[in-house]
Every structure is written in C-alpha cells, then in structure tokens.
Amino acid sequence: MENSSYNSLTLQLEGLKVTKASKYPVFICLLIIYVFIFVANVGIVLLIWTDRSLHQPMYLLFCNLSINDIMGNSLLVPRVLSDILVPPSERLISYYECVLQAFTTHMFGTTSHTILMIMAFDRYVAICNPLRYAAIMTNNMVVKLTVSAWGVAFVLVGILLGLTIRLNRCRTMIMNPYCDNASLFKLSCESVFINNVYGLTFTVVLLSASIGSIVLTYAKITVVCVTSKNQSLNSKALKTCSTHLCLYLIMLCSGMVTITLHRFPQYSDYRKLSGILFHVIPCSLNPVIYGVQSKEIRRFLSKLFEHRNM
C-alpha cells in the first residue's frame, strides 16, 4: 500500500512490532496502564472539583495537567491497543483521524511544558512572595495562566500541523505506531524544508522557554530558602517544589529520549516504544506523585476510606 494512490485518504500505520507470543501480554499491560491513567486522572479532577478545600491555585493549575494527560492518551493508546491485535496489513487509519491524532499528540507534549511552567510561577509566588500570594494568584490570574498555557500550545501546534497538511501526499505508510507531524510530512514527495525549520525552531523555543523558566524559578526559590531562617517556609518549599520538579524531570527525560532517538534511524524500534512511553509513564506517575505529596489530597482520601469502612 506504499504508493497506491496520490493524496489517499486512507493511510496505513506500521504499529508496534510485537511477536505472536508477546502480543497479548503487551496488550494487557498497556491496557492496565491506560485504565489506571484514565481512572487516576479523572479521580484527581473530580476530587479537586468537589472538595472546596482544594479550590486553591496550586490544585486548580494541576487540574490542567490531569486533563491534558487524559486527552493526550485517549486518542492514542486505544488506537495502539487495537492495532496490536490486528495484522499489519489491516492497521488502516483515515487521513483526517491521523491529523487529529497528530494534533492531540503534539498538544499533549507542548501543553505538558506550558502547564508545568505556570505551575512553577505559582510556586515562585507562594514561596518568594508569600504575603502577596493571595493578591497575585486570584481566580482571574489562574484563568489567565490556564488560557495562556493552552492558547500558546494551540497556536504553536496549529501552525506546525498547518504547514504539513498543505503538502500533497504520494505515500500512505505511517512509519510509526501512531500519527505525528514528522510521520505526516514524510508522506509527501515535496520539499519539507519549511516544516523542518519550523519544527526545529518550535522545539528549541519550547525547550529553551521551559527549561529556562524552571531553572530561573528554582534558582530564586533556592536563594530565598538559603537566606531565610524560616523552617516552616523551607519545609513547605521542599515538599511542594520537589513534587513539581519531579513531575517536570520525568516529563523532560521521557521527551528527550524520544527526540534523541530520532537522530538514530537504526534504533527506530526503540524510538517507537519510547514515543508511547512518553505518553504513559508521566501520565501514570503524575497523579501518584502529587497525591502522595499533597497533604490535602491524602486527608480527603483517608476520610473517604474511613467513611466507606464504617
């Protein structure tokens, strides 16, 4: 099906290369992880939504991360799961579904960075300007930060995919378990120079802004903690910032592995696997790490279980 038609609306996914013996174990493992991601993140969102004591900027901003995790996996993982059970020749996907999946995939990756950036700003204000925290982090500010995180990602990814869908296609094989921008523009026989330039610029700007803001924020927080003799402030900073930094490093390392493996075609199978792990590993750890570290969430869950056991 590689060159069967020009601008075909039916594409073929390569999918994961799994043996017959490992097909069902891989399917079950990935299914369990997906169910956990969905249940845990939906649970976090509902918990924050229903418990008024959690209607604080820190938790409301974290809600965005859980929503992003749900959306980022809901179009990708079920499709990968279904493709594991069918022969390679039957792993077909419509062009429009492929574009939507690519858009969702890149929105997930980009918004993960922007949300963690606004969460870092929240921690900076809470620790470096505690007396002005309530005046700065108002409901209006939380809305502005949320809209900015999603809006910036939407514009950047919209341009990225817009440059790709303008190209004519002369191939139909997606050399990946799922659709992304690179897989889509590789279907074209036209020049993709602009796509490569924008894609590289996009990646450099996003990572520079993300890493730069995190480094700057935590440098200032460290200075405040070192110069302050307030043990309560230092303890609060250690708990909340360690959680946020842990989430950021997991997401960053997962993404960097995938980006690095793109430079080594001989490791394409590892790249495909790392691309899926980039979605499932951070998303499954985010609610666990935040739930364990958050005193308010632990208190609510303990009350819930105590009530059920009565």
Side-chain angles (χ1 to χ4, degrees):
M1 191 175 172
E2 179 63 27
N3 291 301
S4 60
S5 61
Y6 190 73
N7 282 342
S8 173
L9 293 179
T10 302
L11 307 177
Q12 183 176 348
L13 287 165
E14 185 180 34
L16 283 176
K17 293 182 179 178
V18 292
T19 62
K20 288 184 177 181
S22 62
K23 179 168 64 174
Y24 291 105
V26 170
F27 176 87
I28 294 171
C29 181
L30 191 56
L31 177 62
I32 292 172
I33 294 173
Y34 173 66
V35 171
F36 175 78
I37 289 171
F38 192 85
V39 172
N41 282 287
V42 169
I44 289 287
V45 173
L46 292 176
L47 173 61
I48 295 173
W49 182 266
T50 56
D51 188 0
R52 295 189 65 84
S53 67
L54 297 178
H55 290 183
Q56 304 171 31
M58 179 175 69
Y59 298 111
L60 295 175
L61 293 177
F62 178 69
C63 245
N64 287 283
L65 200 61
S66 291
I67 292 170
N68 187 49
D69 290 346
I70 295 167
M71 292 175 60
N73 284 277
S74 292
L75 272 181
L76 186 143
V77 178
R79 177 72 208 204
V80 173
L81 285 169
S82 65
D83 285 342
I84 289 175
L85 300 178
V86 300
S89 60
E90 297 179 16
R91 294 169 183 169
L92 305 179
I93 185 171
S94 75
Y95 173 70
Y96 300 111
E97 182 185 350
C98 191
V99 171
L100 180 61
Q101 191 181 78
F103 181 82
T104 307
T105 297
H106 288 284
M107 272 294 291
F108 165 77
T110 307
T111 312
S112 294
H113 281 276
T114 56
I115 290 173
L116 287 169
M117 287 165 65
I118 63 175
M119 289 175 67
F121 174 76
D122 171 73
R123 293 299 84 208
Y124 165 76
V125 176
I127 294 166
C128 298
N129 295 284
L131 297 179
R132 297 186 59 212
Y133 181 76
I136 296 173
M137 295 303 297
T138 61
N139 290 336
N140 191 35
M141 176 59 77
V142 171
V143 171
K144 287 181 179 179
L145 290 172
T146 300
V147 171
S148 298
W150 289 91
V152 168
F154 185 86
V155 171
L156 291 175
V157 176
I159 296 173
L160 184 74
L161 268 297
L163 290 173
T164 296
I165 61 177
R166 69 186 173 87
L167 300 170
N168 290 310
R169 303 178 303 281
C170 60
R171 303 182 184 91
T172 56
M173 175 64 78
I174 299 288
M175 305 301 292
N176 215 26
Y178 58 89
C179 297
D180 60 6
N181 182 62
S183 301
L184 277 172
F185 73 65
K186 286 177 182 178
L187 299 179
S188 176
C189 294
E190 300 176 7
S191 171
V192 293
F193 175 75
I194 296 177
N195 299 71
N196 285 321
V197 170
Y198 179 79
L200 181 61
T201 304
F202 176 14
T203 304
V204 171
V205 170
L206 179 65
L207 290 179
S208 298
S210 175
I211 296 173
S213 65
I214 296 297
V215 170
L216 181 63
T217 298
Y218 279 95
K220 290 187 175 183
I221 290 174
T222 302
V223 170
V224 170
C225 291
V226 170
T227 56
S228 172
K229 296 181 180 180
N230 189 332
Q231 294 297 323
S232 176
L233 175 67
N234 291 345
S235 176
K236 176 184 177 182
L238 179 63
K239 287 181 179 179
T240 60
C241 292
S242 61
T243 303
H244 176 267
L245 193 59
C246 185
L247 299 182
Y248 182 79
L249 290 175
I250 290 171
M251 183 271 299
L252 185 65
C253 292
S254 301
M256 291 300 289
V257 169
T258 304
I259 293 173
T260 302
L261 289 175
H262 264 289
R263 304 292 177 264
F264 301 96
Q266 65 271 29
Y267 300 124
S268 62
D269 289 339
Y270 294 107
R271 173 183 58 78
K272 295 166 188 173
L273 180 61
S274 70
I276 295 175
L277 294 179
F278 170 69
H279 283 74
V280 299
I281 290 180
C283 298
S284 57
L285 293 178
N286 287 348
V288 174
I289 294 172
Y290 227 89
V292 168
Q293 285 290 332
S294 171
K295 181 175 63 177
E296 289 82 359
I297 292 179
R298 290 202 312 270
R299 186 188 302 124
F300 181 90
L301 291 176
S302 63
K303 287 182 179 179
L304 182 65
F305 286 122
E306 286 176 4
H307 178 72
R308 288 188 174 182
N309 290 332
M310 289 178 62

